[in-house]
């Protein structure tokens, strides 16, 4: 087993003890992007349902919603330990997905619900992906980042390919509500990968000061 790990490490140009975090980071991005790209076609369908001529207002709504979300993120960042922020964000987004799924089951033809989902998913794209990268920037030293970031980011590319494929194959069987539920589960899986990354960094701390810092809020407002 050790010989196999050494071969894999040489092949990927990483240290043997970095295989586990690289795999977790790859899986984090794969699950996150697969969940998002599964819903991209659903978002476009919802946007068109309200009329193509109204898409410009959905873009404006996305801009306004993102601005409104910034103070909320600042409030969370000033009070929640830095290492737990991504769990709060991903938990919020997964819960929102399940709520939208129930809404689509109860009111499948509601135009305002469709518009709200379009704006919400656009905001999710901005916030969740930024949060995922912030986790890596927080956990890895520059020398580690140079070796591992490209490898982990390749999970995003594969997730971007797998997501639409899953959507096409499953939408007829489970519908839009089912795709939203699937995406919520993938997002939870991505959060569990973050937990593995945090555990690895705890077991291989860069310094005592940095370990203490990760347990404190970011501060600010």
């Amino acid at each position: 087993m050790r010989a196999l790990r050494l071969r894999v490490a040489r092949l990927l140009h990483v240290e043997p003890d970095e295989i586990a975090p690289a795999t977790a980071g790859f899986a984090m991005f794969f699950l996150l992007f697969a969940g998002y790209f599964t819903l991209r076609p659903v978002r476009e369908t919802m946007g068109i349902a309200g009329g193509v001529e109204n898409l410009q207002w959905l873009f404006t709504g996305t801009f306004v919603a993102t601005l409104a979300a910034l103070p909320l993120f600042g409030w969370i960042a000033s009070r929640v330990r830095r290492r737990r922020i991504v769990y709060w964000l991903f938990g919020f987004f997964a819960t929102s997905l399940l709520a939208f799924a129930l809404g689509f089951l109860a009111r499948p033809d509601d135009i305002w619900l469709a518009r709200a989902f379009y704006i919400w998913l656009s905001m999710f794209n901005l916030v969740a992906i930024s949060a995922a990268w912030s986790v890596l920037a927080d956990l890895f030293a520059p020398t580690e980042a140079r070796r591992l970031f490209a490898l982990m980011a390749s999970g995003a590319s594969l997730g971007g390919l797998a997501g639409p494929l899953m959507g096409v194959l499953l939408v007829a069987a489970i519908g839009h509500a089912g795709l939203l539920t699937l995406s919520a589960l993938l997002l939870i899986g991505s959060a569990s990968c973050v937990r593995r990354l945090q555990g690895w960094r705890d077991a291989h701390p860069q310094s005592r000061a940095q370990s203490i810092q990760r347990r404190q809020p970011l501060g600010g407002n």
Side-chain angles (χ1 to χ4, degrees):
M1 189 67 178
R2 178 174 173 78
L4 178 61
R5 285 174 60 87
L6 291 174
R7 289 178 183 174
V8 172
R10 282 197 297 269
L11 178 65
L12 299 177
H13 303 290
V14 301
E15 299 296 329
D17 62 347
E18 293 173 342
I19 294 177
T23 302
F26 176 93
M28 177 190 71
F29 275 121
F30 176 83
L31 295 171
L32 175 60
F33 274 75
Y36 169 66
F37 277 92
T38 297
L39 299 181
R40 277 279 295 271
V42 179
R43 184 191 70 171
E44 304 310 319
T45 300
M46 298 301 172
I48 294 173
V52 176
E53 67 279 3
N54 292 319
L55 282 176
Q56 59 181 330
W57 297 111
L58 294 180
F59 298 150
T60 303
T62 300
F63 173 70
V64 173
T66 303
L67 288 181
L70 291 178
L72 177 61
F73 176 78
W75 181 85
I76 293 174
S78 65
R79 288 163 174 78
V80 178
R81 287 192 294 173
R82 197 162 83 183
R83 61 183 295 152
R84 296 191 178 277
I85 290 176
V86 73
Y87 303 141
W88 281 61
L89 289 175
F90 282 18
F92 165 76
F93 284 126
T95 302
S96 299
L97 280 171
L98 295 175
F100 274 115
L102 292 175
F104 289 141
L105 286 174
R107 303 173 65 99
D109 299 321
D110 191 317
I111 295 299
W112 287 104
L113 183 63
R115 289 170 175 167
F117 177 74
Y118 184 99
I119 292 172
W120 178 91
L121 190 64
S122 300
M123 186 178 66
F124 164 79
N125 174 40
L126 295 172
V127 176
I129 294 173
S130 299
W133 274 113
S134 71
V135 169
L136 300 188
D138 197 37
L139 294 181
F140 290 92
T143 53
E144 296 168 332
R146 282 193 288 269
R147 288 193 302 272
L148 302 178
F149 273 20
L151 176 62
M152 291 186 284
S154 66
S157 300
L158 288 180
L161 294 173
L165 181 60
M166 287 192 295
V168 169
L169 294 176
L170 296 175
V171 66
I174 63 178
H176 289 160
L179 290 180
L180 266 66
T181 303
L182 173 61
S183 183
L185 294 175
L186 292 172
L187 189 57
I188 293 171
S190 183
S192 71
C193 293
V194 174
R195 186 175 181 85
R196 290 184 66 89
L197 284 167
Q198 297 277 15
W200 170 80
R201 186 79 280 172
D202 290 340
H204 304 81
Q206 297 180 54
S207 67
R208 176 174 172 79
Q210 208 163 40
S211 297
I212 295 174
Q213 201 175 44
R214 286 173 47 231
R215 289 172 169 79
Q216 296 174 342
L218 286 172
N221 54 46

